[in-house]
Amino acid sequence: MTPLCRRLGIDLPVLAFSHCRDVVAAVSRAGGLGVLGAASMTPEDLDRDLTWLDRECAGRPYGVDLLFPAKSAGDDPAELAGRIPADHRAFVDALRTRWGVPVRRSEPGHNRLGGMPTEIDHLMTHANAHALWEVARAHPIRLVASALGPPPAEVRAETTRRGMLLAGLVGDPRHVRHQLAAGVDVLVAQGYEAAGHTGDITTMVLVPQVVAAAGDVPVVAAGGIATGRQVVAALALGAQAVWTGSVWLATAESDLDPVVKEKIVAAAATDTEKTTSYTGKPTRQLTTVWTEAWRTPEAPAPLPSPVQQVLARDTVVSAFEHQVTPVMGSAAGQAVGLVTGVRSVAAVLDDLRMQMADAVEAVTRLADDAG
Amino acid sequence: MTPLCRRLGIDLPVLAFSHCRDVVAAVSRAGGLGVLGAASMTPEDLDRDLTWLDRECAGRPYGVDLLFPAKSAGDDPAELAGRIPADHRAFVDALRTRWGVPVRRSEPGHNRLGGMPTEIDHLMTHANAHALWEVARAHPIRLVASALGPPPAEVRAETTRRGMLLAGLVGDPRHVRHQLAAGVDVLVAQGYEAAGHTGDITTMVLVPQVVAAAGDVPVVAAGGIATGRQVVAALALGAQAVWTGSVWLATAESDLDPVVKEKIVAAAATDTEKTTSYTGKPTRQLTTVWTEAWRTPEAPAPLPSPVQQVLARDTVVSAFEHQVTPVMGSAAGQAVGLVTGVRSVAAVLDDLRMQMADAVEAVTRLADDAG
């Protein structure tokens, strides 16, 4: 296994990002590293899930993914809502009427419906990120990932004190030096094809560039990876492990709404798109009537983050509450094109191990021929 | 080596697309397969270059890349020019004045300046494609690649008669069945990061999808590949060889204008973009003042192919003739971010072989650990 796998204490070079603690535990128990996407949780929910993971992972390592926003455009939802122009509000009101989306039932920011991606409801503010870190640092986390920009100095100091590894995500080789300056232990090179916040450089091009810029710091490849052959490809590119996400959305353990799981299974790679229509920042999402509406000529330009999120969330949350299926979506990478059914985490990982062996054999046969 | 390499008669699983016959010959002599990009040549120039290659490749195999457009929007430049709206012409005239681009010297469609990408000047019409095929089929070509859509039945029949392999390019797994129905011997899976005409699916995701859909037909991976580690990654994904292009633009043998070679060496992956501003079809190009101008709010929408090409070519050709450097560009993939200097073809391939060995060793070490 790679040196990074040994440091993480895993025997499969696969990190698995999920908002669902059941997926995280299943991956960690199977020899990979489950990473809980916690950036949009409430501190109370995070503490509950980490306490559960401490027990369910049975001593196997797990990770947590957080955002540490450098600056926040504002924390007060009412103040943020006041910045929404009238024609943006009218545009969304017309969409709700057209699609038949009722008024939401739950309180904004406190949605506890199962099955809905949590990102859309909780504003990613500096205050919330700080509160989450206060909760997380008390748990025996093996890896802390900073998903947007370099981690702050106090997080670096605290992870060192507690023996946690710290990872930083980059989408451009020019951002590597900022992460190295912040002292990260691991770089996650995330390509254009990934779900969530991405740049324009693809995994195939980005990973070798980040490896070249990283010096001795190990690199994890992210973006488009769902199969064992791709894991071996990433290792050939110089990565020491892969970061996966979309492949877990439609697993049996995932708490994603069954309607969206079906969409993931049916989706081609081209049924995802980069859009700013959910949060104001470019993230890759399943194409839905919502993302399509914001691409029409009559649509206003999406607002900056997090004002667009304040505008979007009530409609999107209500669509889940009332099962208005055309509006229901999820962050999703092009790897959904490789997902062909709802399966257990263990079944996905069994296949992945076999595919890895096939790919290693294909590559070593090449070496034998050349030798 | 892979079965496809044996069929092609090469010992390095690297196909190298270039408009420059010197690059093609150098790659073929070094054990790869040079592929001459001939779609925009005149039949006379193609015959001259193939006669030269028959001699210079010294018995080593080479290929030719052609377009077989299913239908042509028109072949008569004067008629096509008549379809350009007045405000499009005024927009380009204002750009020429702003940038100081004089009237072109050469006849449209007959530019013989060295150093300029030929795609922009020759209209890719059905008549021209047919004339090129009439020339090409008389030469001992090992591989004929159809770069846009499935090849016509007469080309399939003729390549079979002459023992040539026929390859078809795909950018979406849903296009595979059309190519298989046309009887191709090889599928080239070309990702979003490639130069030229591309779709939105990245190489990392597209290659496994095309391999899965291809059955027994071998797949070549294209898009973003410039290094030996990426070659091994592509083989791990199930490809039997790679298709390269951008890495050859800045080689010593390339006849590309030195100004553009310098731009290629300096360019990051993000200094390329998909644009319809040259031909009306989406192609990945170096970012220049030309591509930027067509993204500004005051720009009209680019015209359909080939009318946009008729509008664009005089300005672009004149910029090369008069060395108006900010306007000078080239089709280029994200792999330019991995090109760090002007080197000989042999030096690039020597490095690539060494990197391949490193990657194979990294992957086999993984297998040894797991075993």
Side-chain angles (χ1 to χ4, degrees):
Chain A
M1 213 31 57
T2 67
L4 177 62
C5 290
R6 283 189 281 273
R7 286 174 72 188
L8 288 170
I10 58 180
D11 63 30
L12 190 65
V14 176
L15 283 61
F17 173 94
S18 177
H19 293 292
C20 174
R21 65 187 191 183
D22 299 85
V23 172
V24 171
V27 171
S28 285
R29 283 198 306 261
L33 188 88
V35 179
L36 186 70
S40 308
M41 289 184 170
T42 63
E44 297 71 32
D45 290 344
L46 178 60
D47 199 35
R48 181 207 59 197
D49 281 3
L50 294 184
T51 302
W52 185 90
L53 282 170
D54 294 340
R55 187 179 69 238
E56 293 295 321
C57 287
R60 303 302 301 256
Y62 71 87
V64 170
D65 181 86
L66 290 167
L67 297 179
F68 301 105
K71 58 181 173 1
S72 179
D75 285 9
D76 175 17
E79 190 275 323
L80 291 167
R83 295 194 222 162
I84 298 171
D87 57 345
H88 279 74
R89 206 171 275 289
F91 178 72
V92 171
D93 287 345
L95 294 177
R96 293 178 66 133
T97 304
R98 190 193 315 163
W99 298 331
V101 179
V103 173
R104 72 178 284 176
R105 286 196 291 255
S106 58
E107 281 291 298
H110 292 81
N111 177 68
R112 287 304 314 143
L113 271 182
M116 208 200 70
T118 56
E119 295 102 326
I120 191 62
D121 208 22
H122 290 274
L123 303 180
M124 293 181 198
T125 61
H126 191 76
N128 196 34
H130 182 77
L132 290 172
W133 174 239
E134 286 300 308
V135 167
R137 69 199 189 95
H139 290 269
I141 297 164
R142 188 72 199 103
L143 179 86
V144 175
S146 169
L148 203 67
E154 66 269 24
V155 173
R156 171 68 283 185
E158 182 74 7
T159 49
T160 303
R161 245 192 315 274
R162 294 179 181 265
M164 302 169 178
L165 293 180
L166 184 59
L169 264 74
V170 290
D172 190 308
R174 288 171 290 203
H175 301 159
V176 167
R177 64 191 174 86
H178 304 300
Q179 294 282 1
L180 295 181
V184 298
D185 303 301
V186 179
L187 285 160
V188 181
Q190 177 165 284
Y192 166 79
E193 53 270 71
H197 299 98
T198 69
D200 197 49
I201 310 176
T202 71
T203 302
M204 181 64 86
V205 175
L206 180 66
V207 172
Q209 292 192 299
V210 172
V211 168
D216 292 337
V217 174
V219 174
V220 174
I225 299 172
T227 69
R229 284 189 163 269
Q230 294 171 304
V231 176
V232 176
L235 299 178
L237 294 177
Q240 295 202 17
V242 301
W243 176 280
T244 54
S246 302
V247 66
W248 311 111
L249 292 171
T251 51
E253 288 87 344
S254 163
D255 63 0
L256 193 62
D257 190 292
V259 167
V260 183
K261 283 191 190 182
E262 269 177 53
K263 289 191 179 193
I264 298 278
V265 169
T270 46
D271 294 325
T272 68
E273 63 182 291
K274 280 178 73 172
T275 177
T276 57
S277 64
Y278 283 104
T279 65
K281 288 183 189 290
T283 66
R284 185 176 291 280
Q285 303 275 343
L286 279 185
T287 293
T288 65
V289 291
W290 175 267
T291 65
E292 285 171 336
W294 288 90
R295 283 193 265 118
T296 55
E298 61 271 25
L303 299 166
S305 168
V307 186
Q308 180 72 16
Q309 192 180 352
V310 174
L311 173 61
R313 62 180 179 173
D314 287 352
T315 303
V316 175
V317 170
S318 179
F320 275 84
E321 288 176 340
H322 298 91
Q323 296 280 295
V324 186
T325 59
V327 187
M328 295 164 68
S330 170
Q334 291 194 348
V336 294
L338 296 160
V339 174
T340 55
V342 174
R343 296 187 302 155
S344 72
V345 168
V348 171
L349 288 174
D350 283 350
D351 271 11
L352 186 139
R353 282 185 200 267
M354 279 193 297
Q355 295 155 352
M356 280 183 67
D358 288 348
V360 169
E361 199 200 317
V363 168
T364 50
R365 200 180 318 124
L366 178 76
D368 292 345
D369 285 7
Chain B
M1 212 32 59
T2 68
L4 177 61
C5 291
R6 282 189 282 271
R7 286 175 72 189
L8 288 169
I10 58 180
D11 63 28
L12 191 66
V14 175
L15 284 61
F17 173 93
S18 177
H19 293 292
C20 174
R21 65 187 191 183
D22 299 86
V23 172
V24 171
V27 171
S28 285
R29 282 198 306 262
L33 188 88
V35 179
L36 186 69
S40 308
M41 289 185 171
T42 63
E44 298 73 31
D45 290 344
L46 178 60
D47 199 35
R48 181 207 56 198
D49 280 3
L50 294 184
T51 303
W52 185 89
L53 282 169
D54 295 340
R55 188 179 69 238
E56 293 295 322
C57 287
R60 304 303 302 257
Y62 70 87
V64 171
D65 182 85
L66 290 167
L67 297 179
F68 301 105
K71 56 180 177 350
S72 179
D75 285 9
D76 175 15
E79 191 274 321
L80 291 168
R83 294 196 223 160
I84 298 171
D87 58 346
H88 279 75
R89 206 170 275 290
F91 178 70
V92 172
D93 287 345
L95 294 178
R96 294 178 65 132
T97 303
R98 191 193 314 162
W99 298 331
V101 179
V103 173
R104 72 179 283 175
R105 286 195 291 254
S106 56
E107 282 291 299
H110 293 82
N111 178 68
R112 289 304 314 142
L113 270 182
M116 208 199 70
T118 57
E119 296 102 325
I120 191 63
D121 208 19
H122 290 273
L123 302 180
M124 293 179 199
T125 62
H126 191 74
N128 196 34
H130 182 77
L132 290 172
W133 174 238
E134 285 301 308
V135 167
R137 69 199 187 93
H139 289 269
I141 296 165
R142 189 73 200 101
L143 180 87
V144 176
S146 169
L148 203 66
E154 67 269 23
V155 172
R156 170 68 284 185
E158 181 74 7
T159 49
T160 302
R161 249 193 311 275
R162 294 179 181 265
M164 303 169 176
L165 294 180
L166 184 58
L169 266 74
V170 291
D172 191 307
R174 286 171 292 200
H175 301 159
V176 167
R177 62 190 176 87
H178 304 300
Q179 294 282 359
L180 296 180
V184 298
D185 304 300
V186 179
L187 285 161
V188 181
Q190 177 165 285
Y192 166 79
E193 53 269 71
H197 299 98
T198 70
D200 197 49
I201 310 176
T202 71
T203 302
M204 180 65 84
V205 175
L206 180 66
V207 172
Q209 292 191 297
V210 172
V211 168
D216 292 337
V217 174
V219 174
V220 173
I225 300 173
T227 69
R229 284 191 163 268
Q230 294 170 303
V231 175
V232 176
L235 299 178
L237 294 177
Q240 295 202 18
V242 300
W243 176 280
T244 55
S246 302
V247 66
W248 312 112
L249 292 171
T251 51
E253 287 87 344
S254 162
D255 63 359
L256 193 62
D257 191 292
V259 166
V260 182
K261 283 191 191 181
E262 269 177 52
K263 288 190 180 193
I264 298 278
V265 169
T270 46
D271 293 324
T272 68
E273 63 182 289
K274 279 177 73 172
T275 178
T276 56
S277 64
Y278 283 104
T279 67
K281 287 183 190 290
T283 66
R284 185 175 292 280
Q285 303 275 343
L286 279 184
T287 293
T288 65
V289 291
W290 176 266
T291 65
E292 286 171 336
W294 287 90
R295 280 193 268 119
T296 55
E298 62 270 25
L303 299 165
S305 169
V307 186
Q308 181 72 16
Q309 192 180 352
V310 174
L311 173 62
R313 62 180 178 173
D314 287 352
T315 303
V316 175
V317 170
S318 179
F320 275 85
E321 289 178 339
H322 298 91
Q323 296 280 295
V324 186
T325 58
V327 188
M328 295 163 70
S330 170
Q334 291 194 350
V336 296
L338 296 160
V339 173
T340 54
V342 174
R343 297 188 303 154
S344 71
V345 168
V348 171
L349 288 175
D350 284 350
D351 271 12
L352 186 140
R353 281 185 200 269
M354 279 193 296
Q355 294 154 353
M356 280 182 69
D358 288 348
V360 168
E361 200 199 316
V363 168
T364 50
R365 200 181 317 124
L366 178 76
D368 292 345
D369 285 6

